[in-house]
Amino acid sequence: LRDDNELIRPATSTNGLMATTKNITSPTLKFDKVMQPTDSNTPPAVKRQLVVHAGPPKTGTTTIQTALELNRQLLYDSSKYQYLGKITTFHKKICPSDIPFCVDHGFLTSTKLPKVFKNVMEQLHQDGTNAFISLEGISFQIASTDNIYNSSKVMFDTFSELRNDWNLTIVLVYRHYFEWVLSLYNQIEKPTVNKPHYNEWPDLQNVTNVKESTLCSFTDWYRALREGSLVSWCNIKEARYKNQEYHPLEWTYRRFVEKYEGIEVKVYNLHQEGDLFQNFMCQAVPDVEDFCTILKKGGGMNAPQMNPSRNFQYDRLVMEAYKTGLLLSSTGNRKKKRKKLQERFPDMVSRPNFKYLCPSDAELKELLQMSLKYERTVHINHFCVLKDSKCSTEYFEKLEDEQVKSFQNYIQSHKFCHWDVGYILENDKGVQDWFKADGK
């Protein structure tokens, strides 16, 4: 950022900023300089559409974002929408040169980037261009504690200021609570290169270090979430929305309505037949009729699978072997060790001395009942009207039957469970021998 009006593109993304170069080429824009606001005596221009897809996380956001990246030129040509990110790992988090400004997670709490964003929005408005943002972290910032909300106050105030010239539409996505909470757990806990605690050997003399370096089971993680425990080594911060009386989607919706009087907040139902991206765009985004027509005729590009869940049970087994003395830290890199273990025993769950540890029947029943209660409220508030025949007893019975069936499939697939690593090490001689041979 050179001054209030000129932008330069860094060689790589820095703190969420993926700004423009001078003389960039957008679908129709050439930014020699971000334009100043028009004179106050100028007659008001027609309002353009600003769509903010705010999540919540783990509701198909990465798939939608990747599809928007791939089809951004088609979206512009057909409906004159400029996509402004988030850019997913499909593009390695590099802002494509045809996008004048790319939002990223650094945008959420920055005090400078919203100002840059506002200048870019003024240029887009003068060009008669609509704007589209997809950034799932926005929902958490507005629906969490007051301290977290205040850390994003500059961003939220910028959205308020833009309403003078833009029709601001917030789009949220609903997903069954039990699916959402498990998916978020997998996202938070899975080992990545960004989590050194999960890639390094802990000091066994330091109890806290050992706990923080051990992947938390879903059972412990969910208990900590429900109890509101902040002292647990399980990372639940991203899942703790301020008011757990409501589904995270419902609480986020209420917070947006409270913050922006008269705003339109649309809720998209993830649980429906058909293509996710096509349904999302055609049902939730205003003024994209021509774009939808193209998609329905088979046009556009499909997004590849992004951000898949990972099996991190092998890491839990490696850590248990390390803590019990079967494996020494000097035998190699922790990340490589769990990879070799998986290569040696790819069918671990099929071995005779294998056992799962799962939440209790009471805990699973509570999770299902909560998910069913949330769904009824969401459907009453957003997907049907009580006076409408659609919102009938049969309607809710069908919803409940479908969700119970899906929940039972999760149970049968052991998705809520984790490996009983202590039992495996005590009873599986083949695994014992592998570790005793230093995992070679």
Side-chain angles (χ1 to χ4, degrees):
L1 181 65
R2 288 179 176 166
D3 56 39
D4 289 346
N5 301 315
E6 289 189 335
L7 306 175
I8 59 173
R9 176 182 298 276
T12 58
S13 170
T14 304
N15 193 28
L17 172 59
M18 300 177 188
T20 72
T21 64
K22 305 183 76 174
N23 299 316
I24 69 165
T25 302
S26 186
T28 62
L29 302 177
K30 286 193 175 180
F31 281 42
D32 292 320
K33 181 182 286 189
V34 177
M35 307 240 343
Q36 291 288 331
T38 56
D39 187 88
S40 59
N41 295 322
T42 302
V46 176
K47 282 191 173 183
R48 308 304 303 175
Q49 301 289 353
L50 169 56
V51 176
V52 178
H53 170 214
K58 309 313 297 178
T59 57
T61 50
T62 303
T63 297
I64 293 170
Q65 289 161 355
T66 305
L68 283 164
E69 293 173 38
L70 292 171
N71 294 284
R72 63 185 183 276
Q73 184 67 53
L74 178 61
L75 178 62
Y76 183 89
D77 292 341
S78 62
S79 302
K80 207 167 186 184
Y81 262 93
Q82 173 71 63
Y83 180 57
L84 300 173
K86 187 179 81 172
I87 300 302
T88 69
T89 53
F90 179 77
H91 276 112
K92 310 301 180 185
K93 296 188 177 181
I94 297 174
C95 190
S97 61
D98 61 292
I99 301 180
F101 179 88
C102 290
V103 299
D104 203 346
H105 291 303
F107 178 73
L108 296 171
T109 55
S110 172
T111 57
K112 295 181 179 180
L113 298 183
K115 186 175 182 180
V116 179
F117 167 72
K118 186 178 180 182
N119 285 340
V120 171
M121 292 296 290
E122 289 172 358
Q123 174 68 62
L124 292 172
H125 188 275
Q126 290 178 25
D127 189 65
T129 302
N130 302 310
F132 194 117
I133 292 172
S134 179
L135 188 59
E136 64 271 28
I138 294 175
S139 65
F140 179 75
Q141 297 299 117
I142 201 169
S144 191
T145 63
D146 291 338
N147 286 339
I148 292 177
Y149 168 79
N150 289 332
S151 70
S152 293
K153 191 174 185 303
V154 175
M155 177 189 69
F156 288 123
D157 287 347
T158 299
F159 287 149
S160 293
E161 294 165 5
L162 288 171
R163 293 183 70 191
N164 293 326
D165 299 314
W166 296 82
N167 291 317
L168 176 60
T169 299
I170 305 294
V171 180
L172 304 173
V173 178
Y174 166 71
R175 185 179 186 182
H176 291 155
Y177 180 73
F178 79 86
E179 293 182 8
W180 175 81
V181 77
L182 181 61
S183 181
L184 188 58
Y185 158 74
N186 287 326
Q187 175 70 23
I188 291 173
E189 286 293 322
K190 68 183 179 184
T192 70
V193 293
N194 298 321
K195 299 175 181 176
H197 281 320
Y198 294 166
N199 291 290
E200 299 172 357
W201 301 109
D203 178 3
L204 294 179
Q205 304 303 314
N206 186 329
V207 176
T208 300
N209 187 227
V210 172
K211 286 184 175 181
E212 290 178 346
S213 300
T214 303
L215 291 161
C216 188
S217 71
F218 176 74
T219 302
D220 291 336
W221 185 88
Y222 184 65
R223 285 173 184 167
L225 176 64
R226 295 302 302 148
E227 295 168 2
S229 173
L230 296 178
V231 297
S232 168
W233 71 89
C234 300
N235 179 8
I236 62 171
K237 293 181 180 179
E238 294 178 46
R240 278 190 55 77
Y241 284 67
K242 187 176 180 181
N243 193 327
Q244 295 191 59
E245 178 183 348
Y246 303 97
H247 188 287
L249 170 280
E250 184 66 26
W251 179 240
T252 303
Y253 176 92
R254 289 170 176 260
R255 288 284 285 169
F256 270 114
V257 171
E258 173 188 312
K259 173 63 179 175
Y260 301 107
E261 183 179 355
I263 194 176
E264 181 171 16
V265 183
K266 293 188 176 183
V267 178
Y268 171 75
N269 185 4
L270 191 64
H271 303 285
Q272 54 182 298
E273 296 181 356
D275 180 74
L276 166 60
F277 180 60
Q278 177 181 306
N279 288 341
F280 174 84
M281 295 298 295
C282 300
Q283 296 175 24
V285 182
D287 298 344
V288 291
E289 292 80 6
D290 291 342
F291 182 67
C292 286
T293 298
I294 295 171
L295 293 181
K296 290 175 181 179
K297 291 181 178 180
M301 290 184 282
N302 296 323
Q305 183 182 10
M306 300 290 293
N307 201 21
S309 296
R310 300 180 185 178
N311 185 345
F312 45 78
Q313 298 301 325
Y314 286 94
D315 185 81
R316 296 185 64 255
L317 186 54
V318 165
M319 276 297 298
E320 185 69 15
Y322 173 66
K323 288 187 290 184
T324 58
L326 274 176
L327 182 67
L328 302 176
S329 62
S330 59
T331 59
N333 178 279
R334 175 176 169 182
K335 182 178 179 180
K336 292 181 179 178
K337 191 64 65 178
R338 62 174 175 252
K339 182 180 179 182
K340 287 184 177 180
L341 177 63
Q342 185 169 4
E343 291 172 349
R344 174 62 182 83
F345 301 101
D347 58 343
M348 185 69 72
V349 298
S350 301
R351 294 178 67 79
N353 292 304
F354 178 85
K355 184 179 178 181
Y356 279 112
L357 280 179
C358 306
S360 67
D361 290 344
E363 288 171 320
L364 290 173
K365 182 178 179 180
E366 179 196 41
L367 175 57
L368 175 59
Q369 292 302 316
M370 181 177 299
S371 192
L372 291 171
K373 182 190 76 170
Y374 282 153
E375 177 162 70
R376 185 179 182 87
T377 302
V378 169
H379 274 260
I380 289 175
N381 290 341
H382 304 291
F383 301 139
C384 65
V385 181
L386 286 175
K387 295 180 180 180
D388 190 338
S389 59
K390 173 188 174 184
C391 204
S392 61
T393 301
E394 292 78 12
Y395 174 80
F396 285 110
E397 288 177 348
K398 182 180 179 182
L399 284 177
E400 181 171 329
D401 288 344
E402 290 174 348
Q403 186 170 176
V404 169
K405 182 179 179 180
S406 179
F407 189 82
Q408 291 300 325
N409 288 336
Y410 268 53
I411 291 178
Q412 292 172 9
S413 302
H414 300 101
K415 289 188 176 182
F416 300 116
C417 306
H418 59 277
W419 297 356
D420 188 338
V421 292
Y423 180 88
I424 294 171
L425 287 180
E426 290 177 6
N427 295 278
D428 193 318
K429 190 175 184 304
V431 174
Q432 290 177 4
D433 291 343
W434 186 83
F435 280 116
K436 288 178 180 179
D438 291 336
K440 294 180 181 178

